[in-house]
Each structure stands twice: as structure tokens, then as C-alpha cells.
Amino acid sequence: MKTNYLIIANWKLNPQTTVEAKKIFTGIKKVSTKLKNVSTVICVPYVYLSDLKKLASKKCILGVQDIAVPTEGAHTGLVSASMVKKFGVTYTIVGHSEVRARGENDATVRAKVTTAVTNGLVPVICVGEQARDTQGFFWHTIKEQVITAIGNLPRKSLEQIVIAYEPVWAIGKDAPRPATPAECFEVVLFIRKVISDIFSPADAHNVQVLYGGSVTPKDALGFIEHGGVDGYLVGHESLLPKHFDTILINTENYANTQKTKTIKK
Ligand code: PGA
């Protein structure tokens, strides 16, 4: 039973000002600093890194939402892993469906994963189907995404990656519904099986797998309790410190109850 959870905020193209960014970050940090069983990462727009660097801590870690494959040179508009590292960034989301929708393919995701790992960043690799077809083709999509993203990594690098299962149909405020914990559970098992086939069962067990897609304070815990994940990737609710803090606190409390149970056994 794992009792160390990882909760990642994905602010996307928000908020609109530095003042707001600092306010939200501080609101989250107040709670995240007190937690023993939960690590909090906040993936922010690049323009806020300089200001948020001063506020970040070991318990409220800075992340970004994407990085470039190349690390320098004539690449207009890109930002590299080594550049963001100078601001204390430790995590980067890679392969988010909103980036894939702008043309990114599995091969580019693989290249970004390699760049992240080589430069000492933890890639949070997003995988997930557009829709659940009744013939089950979506399993193939997820398998391909996982194999292409991590299949060529040295085994040791698995300690330094996170996978986020994000069904595209469940993402965003307008999504009809989040996945159910049961739907999440079967995909998480499948992802671990794919990892196990490439590496080993122990590696598959150890890789942190998160759920993302309309996570709210009300439903978050269900994904850990019954969905087999080690945490969440939270979009719109992470811009509301009160909501996000409730997710953090509920997860911390859950981890404590699990620890007590383990000790009693
Ligand atoms: P959401 O976004 O929580 O707003 O659905 C999650 C994500 O896209 O990472």
C-alpha cells in the first residue's frame, strides 16, 4: 500500500496576472507545506516562474506545462528544459492532450520525455483516449502512447517519470463527467501491465500513475481509493485554492488512515 501521494496542478493559460498567480500559489502553499504524505507540484505559465520561484518550496514545487525538444538554437518561440531548471522547476507536463491537439505526436512526446529526463526534470507524461469506442480500439491508443513515450528509456529513469491517465473526454469544465474510479482502475492496471511487459512487474508497481480529468474535491479521493492511482493532475479546480486545498487535505487524511491500518495489521 503506497501512502505517498503526488498532486499536480495544471494552471493552463491562467491566471491573467502575476498578482493573481502569487495569490493562488500562496493559498496552496499554506496548506501543502503542512502535509507529510502529499507532494504538491504547480505547473504554471513560464511568465510567472521568476516571481513564483521565490515562493516555491520542497513541499510546493514548481512545474511547467511543456518543454521544447531542443535545448538551444534557432527555434523561435520555444522554451527549454535547462532554461526552466534555472527557476527551480522540477516537473514538466509532456504530451498533454491540449498540446497533442495542436499537432504533437507520440514521437515528439518521446523526444520531450528524453529531453526532460536527460536534463534532470520529471516528465509527467499524459496518455488517454479521445473517446471510448465499443470495439476497444482505445486500449491500443493508450498502449502505443505508453510504449512510444517510455519504451526506450533506461530502466533507472523510471524512478524519474510520472504517467497521468487523462481520458480526453473527461477533461475540462465542460466535460460531461469525469471517468469513474472503476474506469480509471482498469486503465491504470493496463498501463502498469504495459510497463511490466517492457520492464518488470516491480518497475510497473513503482511508477507513479495519476488520474486527470475534471477532478474535484468531491470525487478526487475515489480515484485513489478505488481507481488505483498515486495522485491526480488537476486543471480548473487548481485555480481555486479553497477547492484545491480540500483535495490536498482529504488525500493527506486518507493517507494517515491507511498508515494506521497498516500499523495495526
Ligand atoms: P481539468 O483538466 O481538471 O480541468 O479537467 C485536467 C487537465 O487537463 O490536466
Side-chain angles (χ1 to χ4, degrees), residues 10 12 96 98 166 170-173 212-215 233-236:
N10 177 10
K12 307 191 179 184
H96 191 282
E98 286 154 10
E166 294 218 313
I171 292 177
K173 263 190 194 151
S214 301
V215 171
L233 179 53
V234 186
H236 59 276

